[in-house]
Structure formats: C-alpha cells, structure tokens
Amino acid sequence: MAIGPALWLGPLLLLSLWGLSAPASLLRRLGEHIQRIQESSSLGPGLGLGPGAVALPKVGWLEQPLDPFNVSDRRSFLQIVLHSLGQKCLSFSRAETVAQLKATEPQVSGVGDRQWLYQTCTEFGFYVTCEDPGCPFSQLPALPSQLDLCEQVFGLSASFVAQAVAQTNSYYGGQTPGATQVLFVNGDADPWHVLGVTQALGSSESVLLIPSASHCLDMAPERPSDSPSLRLGRQSISQHLQTWLRLAKESQVRGGV
C-alpha cells in the first residue's frame, strides 16, 4: 500500500515549494511530516509499497541541512517530496490526472487515490483550497476545480456532492455529533482542523487542539524532536483512555459482569 498525499495534490505541492515566497517554517514542517511518513511506512507483511514502487529514502536522509531559499537545496527538497510519494516524477497534466483516477486496474503507486476521491464525492467533500489572499500556496485548485473531478471521474455533479455532504452531516451530527466518551484531537497547523470539533460539547465530548501540530501528528511514533505541546497532548490522550477504561471496569464490577 503506497503512502502519500492524494495524487492530484502533487502538482500543488511542488508548485508551492518551488515558489520563492514559501516560508522556511512551512518547508521544515513538510520535511518533518514526510519523515514521519517514512518512519511509519513499514506496516507489516503484505502492506509494503509493493513490487515496482520507488522505495522511500532511509530514515535520516531528511536530517541533512536544507536551505529552502537556495535553488539547489530547493530542488533537493522536491526530490524528497517525490520519494515520499513513491514516484520518480509527477505530471502537471490535468487530463493525465483524470485518466489515472479513472483507471480501475490495480495500481503500484497512488494506491487509494481513486477510492479517496469517490468517498469525498459521495460523503463529505473535504477539498483543499487556497483562495485566501494570504495563502502561501498555489491558488489553482479552487473548489470548482475539485468538484469537476467528481464529474469527470465518476459522473457526479456538484449538486450531488453538496447533497451527499448535507446527508452525511445530518446522519453523523456534523460538528455536534452527540457522542459519548470521545476526545476530538486536532493540530492547529492542520488545515482540516477547521472541519473538526474544536469546542468541547460536554463532559463526555472533550476536545484537544495541539499547538503547532500538523495532520495526525499525535498518532505518529514518539521522537526526540517532538515539541512540548505534542508530548503534553499525547499524555492527555493517554489519561482520557485510562479514565474511560477504569470507568468501564468499575461499571462491569458493579453490574456483576
């Protein structure tokens, strides 16, 4: 199973990194994220990259110093991104991207891209855009462009997607799901945290917003370079789980189970 960003986000990522205006902090965060992908890419028998896929660099390759404002270093960083995607190069062709997403035969690279796109088209949207004037990335993948993929690949209209999103939010409760014993964890550096529950909804629906944490960072293995806020966040998650398990055990004892 290949691990990496969705296929159609590759051109956006590369264009963004190539731009001279990209802040060094963003590049460093991306480097850290890619290294976490490398460290967690061994998923056991049968779940590797598969035959023919480009192998990920060994852990430690990213530790070499890179200057994002130096042209040659910026090219090195692009090579790292390509390696993390399991590909030798990325196409900037919209037509080729659509053709690849339409392919239903088994894939060596980009595994899951078609399935992920279908889920976004039929359940929750979740599209990444960069339309704010202050956004440091390319503004090319606007919402209409993302919705066009649903039409081109699956024949699903924008109105269908909107109805599907509304139905999903109605079924699951959107940002007020009415759950119990749930801790909603997000990182404030994760663009998708704005779609999550970031305000506590009650004693059994707590939230944890980890400062400077990126997408799923709390789920990555512990590393010496982890920030204090990330370490505290993981401790909070562990404490919540221990409390719930203790309460469940006490409930079983009282019930004679």
Side-chain angles (χ1 to χ4, degrees):
M1 180 172 67
I3 300 176
L7 176 67
W8 61 93
L9 292 181
L12 163 64
L13 184 60
L14 296 182
L15 280 172
S16 303
L17 288 174
W18 194 260
L20 289 173
S21 61
S25 60
L26 288 176
L27 298 181
R28 282 194 294 270
R29 284 185 184 179
L30 179 60
E32 293 171 357
H33 177 68
I34 292 173
Q35 188 168 18
R36 287 191 298 275
I37 291 176
Q38 293 172 336
E39 293 175 346
S40 60
S41 61
S42 179
L43 302 178
L47 293 178
L49 288 174
V54 178
L56 293 176
K58 295 181 179 179
V59 173
W61 188 36
L62 286 171
E63 294 175 0
Q64 55 184 310
L66 292 174
D67 179 2
F69 296 101
N70 178 284
V71 173
S72 61
D73 281 353
R74 201 155 52 244
R75 288 172 180 166
S76 298
F77 203 93
L78 295 181
Q79 292 172 353
I80 293 173
V81 173
L82 290 174
H83 273 283
S84 76
L85 294 173
Q87 301 180 25
K88 294 182 178 179
C89 61
L90 287 175
S91 172
F92 284 79
S93 167
R94 172 79 173 197
E96 185 173 335
T97 296
V98 172
Q100 290 174 341
L101 288 170
K102 284 184 174 181
T104 57
E105 63 272 11
Q107 302 290 315
V108 175
S109 63
V111 176
D113 289 338
R114 174 180 167 86
Q115 293 86 338
W116 170 254
L117 176 62
Y118 182 79
Q119 192 172 17
T120 67
C121 296
T122 59
E123 291 188 40
F124 43 69
F126 225 56
Y127 303 113
V128 176
T129 63
C130 199
E131 302 172 32
D132 187 277
C135 181
F137 299 106
S138 170
Q139 297 186 10
L140 293 178
L143 183 58
S145 175
Q146 302 279 15
L147 293 173
D148 283 346
L149 283 176
C150 297
E151 178 73 43
Q152 294 173 309
V153 178
F154 301 113
L156 302 176
S157 66
S159 60
F160 176 91
V161 177
Q163 293 174 3
V165 171
Q167 182 178 359
T168 298
N169 285 333
S170 175
Y171 183 83
Y172 290 104
Q175 292 184 317
T176 54
T180 57
Q181 292 185 332
V182 173
L183 175 63
F184 297 96
V185 182
N186 286 280
D188 67 3
D190 179 1
W192 281 307
H193 83 273
V194 296
L195 296 180
V197 178
T198 56
Q199 298 292 330
L201 302 176
S203 57
S204 62
E205 292 181 281
S206 303
V207 301
L208 176 61
L209 187 62
I210 304 176
S212 302
S214 57
H215 189 61
C216 294
L217 186 56
D218 58 289
M219 300 169 64
E222 292 185 0
R223 299 171 55 205
S225 59
D226 288 340
S227 67
S229 60
L230 177 57
R231 295 177 186 276
L232 289 174
R234 289 201 181 106
Q235 291 177 12
S236 177
I237 294 171
S238 177
Q239 290 170 359
H240 275 81
L241 291 174
Q242 291 175 18
T243 298
W244 293 334
L245 290 173
R246 176 177 54 79
L247 292 175
K249 186 175 181 179
E250 292 175 353
S251 177
Q252 290 178 344
V253 171
R254 287 194 300 269
V257 178

